[in-house]
Amino acid sequence: MSATNNKVSLIFALIVSLLTTVVLMFSGLLNVLTLAIVITILFGSYYVLFRVLLYVFVFKNLEEVWSNIRSLRKGKSPHNPFDHTFSTKWIDDEVKLLLKEKATEIGKLKEVEQFRKDFLGNVAHELRTPVFGIQGYLHTLLEGAASDAAIRERFLLKAAKNADGLTAIIEDLITISRIETNEIKVEPSSFDLVDLINDVFESIDYQAEQKHIHLSRKGLLKAEVYADYQKIKQVFTNLLSNSIKYGNENGNSTVSLYNLKEQILIEVADNGIGISKDDLPHIFERFYRVDKNRSRAHGASTGLGLSIVKHFLEAHGQDIKVRSSLGKGTIFSFTLPKSTEKERQLTLGV
């Protein structure tokens, strides 16, 4: 910064010295020799004077401003405040960058605050439904309905169903919380994706039978992948549960496996109610439902299942895509990396 002070002081000293000399010349008080001496003395005096004054009243404050900006930006500036080529324009540049950064930070804080409000509101709403259901059925039984065996069994079953829904919500909330705090780590291993899919089919078979939905798999008969078994199992469970929940009676839910060069392409398809174009961009958002009333009509749902699917696949470095048409069905697709033993990874199906 001293280099800039020197330049400004030199300019001011030179101008004022010349003006003073001109005045003295026109007054006839100086000869040539005396004029040269006077110019030298004036220039030196004015240079020292202006340098001191500029530092005290201008550049000292600019140094403090520069130091504060550097502190706020935490060393992000490419400029060196002690560089002899320092330019005061840097301060303007740094202030603009600082304002831009702060505006971005404020925007993010507003988004976080809005998300917090929405999240708390959604959690309260989701918990209230099963809790009120359990409360209503139990109070009805306590008030005398328990004496009727048929009513007692029916109300207890409904209370249990609401309790299961409440448990599902809490488990999904815990999962989302662990994802947000980076507590969930991917622990990959090699396994046959076909075996995993068969396990998921068995676990949700009863759910599919209730709506007479046929579960099927096509494509590869064997596909060795390298991924976290439990998390990928949760991905398939969530996708297929959604497929059944919003599928049509006597419909189909199909998992297809395709061979790519270094990956396995997976598609989970159904011929259910489908999703509108307006809703498609939002279906992976937490608590988002295409139609809240219709969702409740199709059974308990936390609105977190697809969000968890997206997070788990992103943790594997993969993305998930969705295609859907109203009244025709939905297809979710994603890829997983093959395991290294390529000779025995793939067996094509019919």
Side-chain angles (χ1 to χ4, degrees), residues 333-345:
S333 61
F334 59 95
T335 58
L336 289 174
K338 297 177 183 177
S339 60
T340 54
E341 299 177 10
K342 295 183 179 179
E343 293 299 324
R344 65 182 184 83
Q345 285 172 354

Side-chain angles (χ1 to χ4, degrees), residues 188-193 222-227 261-264 336-346:
S189 61
S190 294
F191 60 89
D192 185 0
L193 197 56
K222 188 176 182 64
E224 292 280 339
V225 297
Y226 188 69
K261 186 176 181 180
E262 296 180 351
Q263 296 175 314
I264 302 296
L336 289 174
K338 297 177 183 177
S339 60
T340 54
E341 299 177 10
K342 295 183 179 179
E343 293 299 324
R344 65 182 184 83
Q345 285 172 354
L346 307 172

Side-chain angles (χ1 to χ4, degrees), residues 192-241:
D192 185 0
L193 197 56
V194 173
D195 291 339
L196 181 148
I197 293 168
N198 291 336
D199 287 344
V200 174
F201 279 176
E202 288 183 11
S203 67
I204 62 173
D205 185 58
Y206 178 77
Q207 185 182 349
E209 286 181 356
Q210 295 296 105
K211 294 188 68 174
H212 306 288
I213 289 178
H214 177 62
L215 300 175
S216 62
R217 176 183 51 77
K218 68 178 185 179
L220 303 174
L221 296 178
K222 188 176 182 64
E224 292 280 339
V225 297
Y226 188 69
D228 188 311
Y229 184 92
Q230 292 300 328
K231 291 176 180 57
I232 297 304
K233 185 175 182 180
Q234 187 67 53
V235 166
F236 277 100
T237 300
N238 289 4
L239 290 176
L240 286 167
S241 293

Side-chain angles (χ1 to χ4, degrees), residues 115 119 170-182 184 286-287 304-309 311-312:
F115 171 77
F119 186 81
I170 293 171
E171 288 178 349
D172 283 351
L173 286 172
I174 291 172
T175 300
I176 286 291
S177 175
R178 292 178 65 195
I179 289 171
E180 287 297 318
T181 55
N182 295 317
I184 292 183
R286 295 165 194 173
F287 297 108
L304 294 170
L306 291 180
S307 179
I308 292 172
V309 166
H311 279 294
F312 279 178

Side-chain angles (χ1 to χ4, degrees), residues 136-156:
Y137 292 126
L138 292 181
H139 278 300
T140 301
L141 291 173
L142 289 173
E143 289 170 1
S147 58
D148 188 314
I151 293 177
R152 181 174 65 247
E153 182 178 1
R154 183 160 61 91
F155 278 24
L156 286 175

